[in-house]
Amino acid sequence: MIMTSGNAHGQQVEQEAVLEPIVISAPLRREADIATATSSVTVIDEAEIRASAASDLASLLRSYPGVSIATFGGFGSNAEVTLRGVSPTQTLVLINGVRASSATSGTTSIFNVPLESISRIEIANGAHSAQYGSDAIGGVINIITKDGSGCPDGKDHCSTVTVGVEHPWGASGRVETRGKTEGGLNYGFGITGRGTRGYDFTGPTSWGHEPDDDGFRQGSFDLRLSQDFDWGRLYADGFYARGMSEFDAFPDSNEARTVTFAGKVGAQINHTNDWFSRIEVSNAIDDARNHRDGVPGHEDYRTVRSGVLLTTQKTLKTDLAEHVFSGGVEAYREQIDTNVVSYAVEDRTLAGIFGQYALSMGSFNVDAGLRHDYNEQFGEATTYNLGARYELMEGLSARASFGTGFRAPTFNDLYYPGWSNPNLLPERSKSVEAGLAWQIDPDTSLDVAVYRTWISEAIALDASYLPYNIGSARISGIEATMSHRINESWTVNGSLDLRQPRDEDTGNDIPNRERFKGSIGAVYTPTESLTLTANLLYVASRYIDASNTRKLPDFVTMDFAATYDVDEQSQWKLAVLNAFDEDYSTREGFRAPGRTISLSVSRQF
């Protein structure tokens, strides 16, 4: 069900009247209690993921407030994720806090991150460039893989084996080990594999159509380690995935091999009880190779991003308030390599310095941030944010925030031969939000947010498909979620997402942007061992051309899932996505998955 704690939304499977404090890191780039957040934040935990009917990251995210998903087929196809109606390149996606996007396309291969490896997802809606720099105009999605926590009944160590089958025919499996030691070691690692025959992603009238099934094969490895010491902590995170996708598109390629890697090593030094510093070194790779059997050659696009981050945080407490000062510097190098074309520039250095301040004084909270970025291609950018939250009465809080953002043009925007513009300016934005979070009673919660984002120097394509900076765009919207526990067995939830993505130069809606969606869900636990979930999602039509003369039709999908605990160590799960086999598309010319049935069993040791 959709629950709110402060402004956290999530499908809470366990029926608890009192929620433990939820610690988040994505909005302010530091750990903080979600109850003091001044902007909208969604937290999806491991229990939600396990209980949902979702089979991949795209199908999981699509029901959450502010999130829009457009897929170019089923498993293994490209999937664009956006927040609050901005473009995919204006939404920052992180894996364990590391940028994992392509520097040529500007998007992240979320299809290559299996759900089985994820312990938590944080979605911070609204501008967060003051914390993260470029790309966070619509918000930030931080995908966090599994660590040593999560073993049931307070166990220090556990291993789990999961195998499953699905229709259209496919299979998946995962082996993972997690644990903690008395000496302060926290560890989690897992191996995941999946293969599916798929279906035909395109229709007979689609460009590049081939009448065959488009399958997907993938293997991945994830690792998280940390060791506590008297002086602080050492830690390392790593995620690697290699997928092989089939698709319909080009005469010389119909298969893509995609490698996704995001890793970092770091150290935290505790200077005093209320002051610490961190240093992190990170590396990320996005590597795509397109080819076709029987056709000589292949097309490679590779991004390597290496960076370093230094931060420090100091907390001061007075009789009336708590003050948190934090700041840092970061720099990273982006390099691209391709055998398709010759870019005029193939690497660039980006650097930023930022500072933040947070005040907590009883029922009143404030946070503020300022950041200055340097990009050797287009120059400098300064962004900031300011937010406040006030508890009007017990259980009812009001919040408001304002932030600015920017997005640096990608290498494709600037240098792709014949289809680029080296004189492009960075896109810039201003965003404002106001919201209410109301815990009406222990069983009922409501969260409402209204927002508006202005984007200037937005990058668009002219009649010759050359990118250029247009005047401005304005996106206005309302998000609302509600959850109610009827009794110990039944919980219902719902959400609404209404927005107007307007091109202010033409007065038309920006194409390929969701305008309305709504969901209704229910969780039924007739026994301690059995949990049944259902979720209905409605997505309204959206324009697919700049002149607003053509639309993709609206659609309704229904998903079901059942989990059954055979004993304390074994669990069965049956899930049905798109149970009524709705025929729909989220991108013109590409068919979304039809009815998908999966059955899996997990055994813990």
Side-chain angles (χ1 to χ4, degrees):
M1 68 177 177
I2 300 291
M3 292 288 293
T4 59
S5 173
N7 57 320
H9 310 293
Q11 295 176 345
Q12 192 82 0
V13 177
E14 298 293 333
Q15 309 301 316
E16 299 290 344
V18 179
L19 297 178
E20 294 294 327
I22 300 175
V23 177
I24 52 175
S25 59
L28 300 178
R29 208 168 188 173
R30 64 174 177 82
E31 293 185 349
D33 187 347
I34 200 171
T36 65
T38 61
S39 59
S40 294
V41 183
T42 300
V43 176
I44 310 172
D45 62 21
E46 190 174 338
E48 282 178 60
I49 297 172
R50 189 166 52 245
S52 74
S55 53
D56 63 357
L57 189 52
S59 58
L60 175 75
L61 292 174
R62 63 179 184 170
S63 294
Y64 286 90
V67 183
S68 300
I69 299 290
T71 60
F72 294 78
F75 285 134
S77 68
N78 285 330
E80 297 177 340
V81 55
T82 66
L83 293 177
R84 289 189 168 174
V86 302
S87 72
T89 57
Q90 296 166 344
T91 300
L92 179 60
V93 179
L94 310 171
I95 300 177
N96 293 324
V98 177
R99 290 173 180 263
S101 60
S102 165
T104 51
S105 70
T107 59
T108 305
S109 301
I110 65 168
F111 67 87
N112 222 18
V113 184
L115 279 184
E116 295 85 353
S117 66
I118 300 173
S119 70
R120 178 185 178 92
I121 302 172
E122 296 179 355
I123 304 170
N125 290 333
H128 289 284
S129 287
Q131 291 78 36
Y132 292 94
S134 179
D135 306 340
I137 287 178
V140 179
I141 299 176
N142 189 21
I143 303 165
I144 303 169
T145 58
K146 294 180 178 179
D147 62 5
S149 61
C151 292
D153 303 323
K155 291 182 180 179
D156 294 329
H157 170 85
C158 60
S159 296
T160 305
V161 177
T162 303
V163 294
V165 294
E166 62 190 31
H167 176 79
W169 301 115
S172 62
R174 177 174 172 85
V175 179
E176 65 182 35
T177 296
R178 312 166 75 174
K180 304 176 182 178
T181 68
E182 294 182 358
L185 176 65
N186 182 304
Y187 59 92
F189 58 88
I191 300 174
T192 308
R194 156 167 272 158
T196 177
R197 187 184 71 185
Y199 65 96
D200 194 355
F201 289 172
T202 58
T205 61
S206 299
W207 182 85
H209 172 68
E210 296 181 35
D212 62 352
D213 291 335
D214 299 310
F216 180 52
R217 302 179 301 279
Q218 180 199 60
S220 70
F221 174 76
D222 54 274
L223 167 70
R224 294 188 69 194
L225 291 172
S226 66
Q227 174 66 58
D228 293 329
F229 298 94
D230 292 339
W231 52 266
R233 183 167 61 99
L234 293 175
Y235 54 92
D237 302 333
F239 172 82
Y240 174 88
R242 180 186 176 100
M244 183 65 75
S245 308
E246 298 175 351
F247 60 93
D248 301 342
F250 303 104
D252 55 352
S253 60
N254 64 357
E255 292 188 12
R257 184 218 65 191
T258 304
V259 171
T260 303
F261 172 75
K264 67 182 180 183
V265 294
Q268 175 175 312
I269 302 171
N270 297 329
H271 307 294
T272 64
N273 291 334
D274 54 15
W275 178 31
F276 66 86
S277 300
R278 288 177 180 164
I279 178 171
E280 291 181 1
V281 177
S282 63
N283 182 259
I285 298 172
D286 181 274
D287 187 6
R289 169 173 291 187
N290 301 329
H291 67 280
R292 177 187 286 270
D293 289 342
V295 177
H298 50 78
E299 299 178 354
D300 290 348
Y301 290 90
R302 180 181 177 87
T303 295
V304 178
R305 184 180 292 107
S306 302
V308 61
L309 171 68
L310 301 171
T311 61
T312 190
Q313 180 175 315
K314 172 70 174 178
T315 301
L316 296 176
K317 293 185 179 180
T318 63
D319 292 339
L320 299 177
E322 178 180 274
H323 311 264
V324 179
F325 300 88
S326 60
V329 294
E330 72 172 327
Y332 55 93
R333 186 78 173 167
E334 292 180 337
Q335 296 176 289
I336 63 169
D337 185 25
T338 177
N339 64 350
V340 181
V341 295
S342 178
Y343 287 78
V345 176
E346 295 185 341
D347 55 71
R348 63 185 177 188
T349 298
L350 304 93
I353 181 170
F354 57 92
Q356 298 178 40
Y357 167 71
L359 167 69
S360 180
M361 188 168 59
S363 58
F364 182 60
N365 297 278
V366 173
D367 62 64
L370 178 67
R371 178 177 172 122
H372 185 76
D373 281 273
Y374 166 77
N375 181 309
E376 69 173 317
Q377 288 178 308
F378 70 78
E380 304 177 41
T382 300
T383 51
Y384 62 92
N385 74 280
L386 178 64
R389 185 185 187 99
Y390 182 69
E391 188 174 25
L392 302 172
M393 62 181 191
E394 185 176 359
L396 177 63
S397 296
R399 64 182 185 273
S401 61
F402 176 82
T404 62
F406 80 101
R407 181 183 80 87
T410 66
F411 282 92
N412 280 0
D413 292 333
L414 293 166
Y415 303 119
Y416 194 93
W419 306 90
S420 59
N421 180 356
N423 298 315
L424 287 173
L425 299 173
E427 299 175 314
R428 298 183 182 273
S429 72
K430 296 179 180 179
S431 297
V432 62
E433 174 189 326
L436 286 173
W438 188 14
Q439 191 70 42
I440 300 172
D441 58 46
D443 299 321
T444 309
S445 61
L446 171 68
D447 191 276
V448 179
V450 295
Y451 63 89
R452 176 167 288 182
T453 298
W454 296 266
I455 301 174
S456 60
E457 306 296 347
I459 297 174
L461 299 179
D462 64 16
S464 301
Y465 298 99
L466 295 176
Y468 72 105
N469 292 105
I470 64 175
S472 59
R474 184 190 70 209
I475 304 171
S476 306
I478 301 173
E479 299 163 355
T481 62
M482 187 171 186
S483 175
H484 177 62
R485 185 174 64 173
I486 300 172
N487 53 42
E488 293 184 356
S489 299
W490 280 97
T491 298
V492 294
N493 60 82
S495 69
L496 292 174
D497 210 335
L498 174 66
R499 72 172 65 98
Q500 184 182 56
R502 183 60 55 89
D503 181 337
E504 291 199 299
D505 290 345
T506 65
N508 293 334
D509 281 2
I510 302 172
N512 295 308
R513 299 289 192 274
E514 281 185 1
R515 298 184 297 169
F516 176 81
K517 74 175 181 181
S519 69
I520 300 173
V523 180
Y524 177 49
T525 52
T527 69
E528 292 184 359
S529 300
L530 179 63
T531 299
L532 306 175
T533 65
N535 190 73
L536 182 146
L537 174 68
Y538 169 74
V539 178
S541 62
R542 87 288 304 271
Y543 292 107
I544 56 177
D545 64 335
S547 59
N548 287 184
T549 59
R550 297 187 299 120
K551 292 181 180 179
L552 280 182
D554 58 355
F555 63 88
V556 178
T557 61
M558 191 77 185
D559 304 330
F560 299 97
T563 58
Y564 180 69
D565 297 327
V566 180
D567 52 39
E568 293 182 353
Q569 295 176 290
S570 302
Q571 183 185 74
W572 287 87
K573 178 179 177 179
L574 174 67
V576 183
L577 274 172
N578 193 6
F580 301 124
D581 203 23
E582 176 86 349
D583 185 9
Y584 70 99
S585 297
T586 55
R587 269 298 188 187
E588 184 182 21
F590 294 89
R591 300 167 54 227
R595 183 186 298 112
T596 304
I597 304 171
S598 62
L599 177 66
S600 64
V601 59
S602 298
R603 177 72 177 178
Q604 191 175 91
F605 302 94

